[in-house]
Structure formats: C-alpha cells, structure tokens
Amino acid sequence: MSFLRAGTHRLSLARPLIMGIVNVTPDSFSDGGRLDDAQAAIRYGFKLQEAGADILDVGGESTRPGAAAVPAAEEIRRVLPVIEALAGHGCVVSVDTMKPAVMRAALDAGAAMVNDVMALRASGALETAAASDAAVCLMHMQGEPQRMQQAPSYTDVVEEVGQFLQDRVAACEAAGIGRERMVIDPGFGFGKTLVHNLALLRHLDRLAELGLPVLAGLSRKSMLGALTGRGVDEREFAGVAAHLMAVARGARLLRVHNVAAMRDALAIWNAVEEQQDGT
Ligand code: HH2
C-alpha cells in the first residue's frame, strides 16, 4: 500500500494526503451556501489546490444530520461544471455522493475518485465504480443521514466498523475493484455518539491494520464542538489536533476544510518523521 490509484493518477502514500472539501450546496452546515455557484466553487477549488490539497472532494448534497435529500438531477447540476473545470485543469477530483447516477456523470466529467458515505451500498453503485478506473472511499455509517444521530448503538464500535469495512472491501474486490483503488473511512459523526467517535479515533490503528489507506474526516464535526465548546467556524485548531492524532494512528488521507492549516501541521509531522538522526 505505497500508492493509491485514482483514474490516471497514482498518488504516493509515503506522506499523508490532504483532501480539500469543495461544497456546492446551499445547505451545507459549514459553508452555509456561500459556494452555491459553480464559478465560486471552481475558484475555491483552485485556491485549495494552491494551498496544498492533493485531492478536491466535490459534493452537491449535505450529509449533515437531518439534512434534506437532493434529487440526482439537481446534485448533478451543482457538481458537474465544477468537476469538469477542476479535473480539466489536472486536479485530482473526488465526487462526494451516494447516488450511482451522480457517480456516472461525475466520472464522465473527469472525477478520479468516488467518495461514498454509503460505501457503494446503493443499488448500482458498486457496478458503476467497478466499471471505471476511479478510486473509491468506503465509509461506515450506521443508519441514514436523516435519522443516524437519533440513537446510535454498538456493542463494540471499533470491531463493528472494522467488520463492516472488511465486508465492503470484499464486495468491491468481488466486483473487480482492485485494492490499490480503495480507501476506508470510519465515518466520524455518522451514526455515532461522542464516545463512539473517541473510541474510533483512539483505536484507528486497528482499522489501519486492515492494510488499506484510512481516511479521517473530522473537520468542523460536532465532536470537536462538544469537546471545545466552539461553534462550527471556530473548530480549526481542534480539527488540526484531531487529524494529527489520526495520522499518528495510521490515517493516510485527511478530509479537511482548512487545507493551509493542515498543510502546515503536516510540514512539521513530515519533517519529524523523515528526520535522519545525526550529529
Ligand atoms: N464527512 C462529511 C461528508 N463526506 N466523506 C468521507 N469519506 N468522510 C467523512 O467523514 C465525510 C464525508 C460531512 O459532510 P457534510 O455534513 O455535508 O459537511 P462537509 O461536506 O462540509 O464536511
């Protein structure tokens, strides 16, 4: 697992990778609709790339707890011009969607990765990803976005999330998706209480032992608010700390809003990790 294959791209995993979030939604909790405009989203994507993003994750439907579902045609209308422009300029673009129709349109427009919070469980999703050469991010979620935070419950959250991800990896392999195209993700905040999220972060190394690159998405999440008392726009420092803890436990991809802050933190991380002890 020294690289991730995503379409024509081959991304080295020697250092942790930064996935920058480009929301094209009027209701995303973190952008509040500021990017509900293709041109603004495209400019924002280039800005994130300049700031050090290795992958740009373009999403047209918020998955925040209780968010309303968006029809596929509307989701496609939002993300397609953004994906076309960013991929057309050589950016590694991921599409954040659960819907096979959106995946197909995004892949045709140049997306090199499918980031699916349902881990390709929607009817037709697995086949769509398998028919492409894109990378896939398989995320764990208990329940579905509308009701997932109502009563999350596990006997052993780390064990159950690990088992789920192993099952989805096996399903992907059976469908013809090679392991060099796969990323796994515990899905922080997706059908999980604070205690569940903390257990998953503390034991992230057990998921890394599955032998696939692990993505951590902690940016601005409510667990950071619960621990710091901070509002959604004030969680940058907590997010950087949490992501570095994830890296220390084996995470190889970090899905973040503030790319520049994460890049600086990783500059320190990489320098210390790669230092040759000498005189
Ligand atoms: N979290 C969100 C969306 N997509 N994908 C992966 N792989 N992992 C995550 O943790 C993850 C994700 C949260 O989505 P949303 O509530 O829409 O907010 P934002 O996209 O601003 O993070």
Side-chain angles (χ1 to χ4, degrees), residues 168-232:
R168 294 314 297 158
V169 167
C172 284
E173 277 189 295
I177 301 175
R179 290 175 71 91
E180 75 286 356
R181 289 166 58 194
M182 293 184 207
V183 172
I184 54 175
D185 178 349
F188 290 106
F190 284 83
K192 281 133 195 144
T193 63
L194 176 60
V195 170
H196 299 140
N197 287 319
L198 289 173
L200 285 166
L201 181 51
R202 184 171 160 84
H203 297 292
L204 204 64
D205 49 344
R206 280 173 53 193
L207 298 182
E209 281 166 12
L210 296 178
L212 291 166
V214 173
L215 182 146
L218 291 149
S219 194
R220 297 185 185 170
K221 294 231 165 129
S222 65
M223 68 180 277
L224 306 179
L227 296 170
T228 61
R230 303 250 179 222
V232 111

